[in-house]
Amino acid sequence: MSEDASPHLLLVEDSDTQALVFRRTLEGFGFTVDRTRTAEDALVSLNEALPDLLVVDYRLPGMNGDELVRILRQTGHTRTLPIIMLTSDEASEVERQGLDSGANAYVPKASGPQLLVSRMRSLLRQRRSVPGNGTAGGFRQARLLVAVADPIYRDWLRGLLTGDGHAVSVAGDEQAMLSAVAQEEFDGVLVGPAPEGEDPFAWVRALDRQRQADSAGFEIAALSEVADPAQTLAGLGAGADDVLPSRDERDMLLVRVRSILRRKLARDDEAAGAARERERELALAHARAQAEASDALAAANRELEAANAQLRETQAQLVQSAKMASLGELVAGIAHEINNPLAFILAHHATVERAVQDATTAEDDTRTKRLAKAAERLGSIRTGLVRIQDLVVKLRRFSRLDDGEWSLVDIPEAIDSVLTLLQPKIPATVTIERRYGPVRTLESSPALVNQVVMNIISNAVDAVDPATGRIVIETSTRDDRFFIAITDNGPGIPPEVRERVFEPFFTTKDVGSGTGLGLAIAYGVVRSHGGEITIESGDEGGARFLLAVPLHRQ
């Protein structure tokens, strides 16, 4: 129920006349009233919807009111439902039975509507208030504060309540009472009348103000010297949750105190149950969130792995394309190199064939001249064949360099094979200078030469002037590292471009003249050897590529 909503109560009354009176009276005070005639009908109604408060007559046909209350207090969802017991009887035994059954308050029908409404509003106020500290789940002593000015009566109450199993503290004045509730948590405070001459409920008002300020959940029971409806109304109006006669019979006082504590501890249990339910829901929500996050992460990882696999496949295809482009250029040059000697071999073969045929029928002098000419042409044929043989040897050596296995590679010999294969691309006017160091072998992958060195030399050939170009290839060793330096006298590479030359697809050549993958592949090969590739300015202003790799595989 919200603060502004009309309180909804269920009235269990078998008398139509009294039920009509109660309905009109309570509706006049702003309550919404439903009514059943019997306790059995009330149970059916409560199973369908819970009211904010239950008002039940003690004497009913069939099941009595106290029996109904006991059933409700044993049921979880009605355990904390505020219940007021009505009766026409004046006997305290009836009140005792009603309170012992679990009713929150006992109101005689003859006391008038003001007292009944005050009791109802007090119980509803408690239900809306912050319910204690919510620390339930096991047995604990109820904690009581007895705030009474009279030391004799205060000590008597402490002994009585301690003997009933409660943990009891005492305060002899208003300030001590307020200080105690500020420092400790209590389930209930029994407040005696203020000293003579003061407002009898002054301490109650002060305590209620502090309870509201601190949002505390303890019950306030005012002890009144006079047991009449006017005093009860005054105490409830001052902020008390219940008003007890201070001179009440001992057992009856204990019954009333137990009733007050029972509803407070029931609210604590309800709050603790709600807290546990919230924790369970939070734990479930957290578990669901973790499961969803785990599923999302797994899905993201699968997507990432698929993307990486596609990227690796695309990269391999691009690398292969770059290799094929270089291979196409290389094959064209090799074909040219083989075709030239092969052409004049075929031409000289025809000449030799004619000379030998003529020599078989010619005179001696003519025969000698023909055979001499044939011998000369055979020498030229041999030169062409040796040139082709050398090219094939270098090509075979290069093909062995394309194996993926690491091995001891003769770097100068491998570089010479690369230069031989690149010879068709290198103009005759471009100078190639070799400066090989004393250490020739390096444990490496063949790709270091047939991809990295070949690519850098090919780029250098493209960069230099065909008429005055000069390319210097050097090898050396230092500090267990093998160095290959390739320097040209071309225009060089500007510093702002050097940082990008190893990026895939970056090229300074014209569109269609390069893939932009050569140096990216070279960078990856050198890094796979645990080495470095750097770009510097050469002595003649061109570019200097320096490869540094470990002498031995790491």
Side-chain angles (χ1 to χ4, degrees):
M1 182 188 70
S2 67
E3 292 284 350
D4 299 327
S6 175
H8 171 227
L9 67 89
L10 176 62
L11 173 65
V12 187
E13 172 60 66
D14 60 320
S15 170
D16 292 337
T17 302
Q18 292 188 10
L20 181 59
V21 172
F22 278 121
R23 180 189 293 273
R24 288 179 176 176
T25 300
L26 296 175
E27 287 178 348
F29 283 97
F31 293 89
T32 300
V33 182
D34 286 333
R35 179 239 177 168
T36 64
R37 294 175 179 274
T38 66
E40 291 80 4
D41 291 341
L43 289 174
V44 174
S45 178
L46 291 170
N47 276 331
E48 296 173 354
L50 280 183
D52 298 311
L53 186 142
L54 179 66
V55 179
V56 56
D57 191 6
Y58 178 80
R59 299 196 182 279
L60 294 169
M63 185 188 302
N64 268 339
D66 60 337
E67 295 174 3
L68 171 63
V69 174
R70 284 190 177 89
I71 293 174
L72 297 180
R73 291 307 185 220
Q74 293 170 4
T75 306
H77 75 290
T78 56
R79 187 180 177 196
T80 59
L81 177 65
I83 302 175
I84 291 179
M85 184 77 73
L86 296 175
T87 182
S88 300
D89 299 305
E90 297 292 340
S92 61
E93 186 61 28
V94 174
E95 180 181 357
R96 183 198 304 271
Q97 291 176 8
L99 293 177
D100 279 342
S101 68
N104 298 109
Y106 167 85
V107 178
K109 292 181 179 180
S111 61
Q114 289 289 347
L115 180 59
L116 175 60
V117 171
S118 294
R119 288 284 191 189
M120 292 168 63
R121 286 176 175 167
S122 174
L123 289 174
L124 292 173
R125 182 175 66 244
Q126 296 166 25
R127 189 167 177 81
R128 291 194 297 263
S129 66
V130 178
N133 56 20
T135 55
F139 172 78
R140 67 173 177 84
Q141 277 185 304
R143 296 179 293 268
L144 287 173
L145 174 65
V146 174
V148 176
D150 182 351
I152 297 175
Y153 184 57
R154 183 173 64 239
D155 290 342
W156 179 82
L157 272 179
R158 176 166 56 181
L160 177 67
L161 297 172
T162 301
D164 202 38
H166 308 305
V168 183
S169 300
V170 295
D173 57 54
E174 179 182 330
Q175 189 56 46
M177 173 188 70
L178 297 177
S179 178
V181 297
Q183 296 174 9
E184 298 181 47
E185 290 185 353
F186 293 100
D187 297 303
V189 181
L190 273 65
V191 184
E196 189 175 352
E198 298 182 14
D199 178 359
F201 297 110
W203 291 14
V204 172
R205 287 189 176 86
L207 183 59
D208 185 52
R209 284 194 297 270
Q210 182 157 327
R211 176 172 66 173
Q212 294 182 40
D214 297 340
S215 297
F218 55 80
E219 297 276 317
I220 300 176
L223 296 168
S224 173
E225 292 280 358
V226 181
D228 60 31
Q231 283 292 91
T232 301
L233 286 172
L236 295 176
D241 300 306
D242 210 338
V243 179
L244 310 181
S246 60
R247 301 304 176 184
D248 205 350
E249 187 264 328
R250 175 183 179 276
D251 289 344
M252 196 64 215
L253 180 61
L254 287 177
V255 168
R256 289 170 171 164
V257 171
R258 289 171 195 157
S259 175
I260 294 171
L261 292 174
R262 185 166 52 241
R263 68 189 180 218
K264 166 60 170 60
L265 296 179
R267 289 206 312 274
D268 283 355
D269 286 346
E270 184 180 44
R276 287 192 296 271
E277 182 63 22
R278 285 194 298 272
E279 289 177 1
R280 189 184 70 83
E281 290 176 355
L282 287 174
L284 288 174
H286 181 65
R288 283 195 296 268
Q290 281 189 322
E292 291 172 359
S294 177
D295 292 344
L297 180 60
N301 285 338
R302 287 193 296 270
E303 292 176 3
L304 182 60
E305 181 59 32
N308 284 337
Q310 185 176 5
L311 181 62
R312 287 192 295 269
E313 182 180 354
T314 303
Q315 184 181 28
Q317 292 174 352
L318 290 172
V319 170
Q320 187 64 22
S321 297
K323 285 184 177 180
M324 294 304 294
S326 299
L327 184 60
E329 184 179 357
L330 184 64
V331 168
I334 293 172
H336 178 74
E337 285 296 301
I338 293 177
N339 189 59
N340 285 340
L342 187 60
F344 70 74
I345 287 173
L346 292 174
H348 289 328
H349 173 269
T351 302
V352 170
E353 188 176 28
R354 286 195 302 273
V356 171
Q357 288 178 351
D358 292 344
T360 57
T361 58
E363 299 295 332
D364 291 340
D365 291 340
T366 303
R367 181 186 301 112
T368 301
K369 291 180 181 179
R370 295 286 187 273
L371 292 176
K373 185 176 181 179
E376 181 184 352
R377 297 295 186 272
L378 287 173
S380 298
I381 289 174
R382 177 179 178 80
T383 301
L385 290 172
V386 169
R387 185 174 175 184
I388 291 174
Q389 183 185 37
D390 181 63
L391 187 63
V392 170
V393 169
K394 295 291 179 66
L395 185 60
R396 289 180 61 191
R397 188 175 298 146
F398 181 84
S399 68
R400 287 198 301 273
L401 287 177
D402 205 31
D403 292 339
E405 297 296 329
W406 285 55
S407 61
L408 282 176
V409 178
D410 188 320
I411 298 299
E413 183 181 77
I415 293 175
D416 288 344
S417 297
V418 168
L419 289 172
T420 299
L421 298 177
L422 288 176
Q423 193 63 46
K425 180 178 180 177
I426 303 174
T429 51
V430 172
T431 303
I432 304 293
E433 184 176 342
R434 301 170 174 86
R435 300 176 185 176
Y436 298 145
V439 179
R440 298 178 60 89
T441 59
L442 169 67
E443 187 179 4
S444 72
S445 162
L448 186 67
V449 175
N450 72 354
Q451 290 186 34
V452 180
V453 174
M454 183 180 221
N455 187 277
I456 295 174
I457 293 176
S458 178
N459 287 345
V461 172
D462 292 336
V464 299
D465 188 330
T468 60
R470 184 167 177 269
I471 300 173
V472 180
I473 305 171
E474 305 171 84
T475 64
S476 61
T477 56
R478 184 175 67 254
D479 298 332
D480 204 32
R481 292 172 78 79
F482 197 99
F483 296 90
I484 303 175
I486 301 171
T487 310
D488 63 62
N489 64 346
I493 302 175
E496 63 273 11
V497 177
R498 293 177 188 175
E499 297 179 358
R500 300 193 59 197
V501 293
F502 297 115
E503 295 178 7
F505 308 111
F506 178 80
T507 179
T508 57
K509 297 179 181 179
D510 294 336
V511 177
S513 300
T515 63
L517 290 172
L519 289 179
I521 295 173
Y523 180 82
V525 171
V526 174
R527 294 293 293 175
S528 70
H529 282 72
E532 299 173 350
I533 179 170
T534 56
I535 306 174
E536 304 170 351
S537 295
D539 296 337
E540 299 179 62
R544 173 182 168 87
F545 283 79
L546 180 63
L547 283 65
V549 295
L551 272 171
H552 304 285
R553 186 176 185 181
Q554 296 180 340

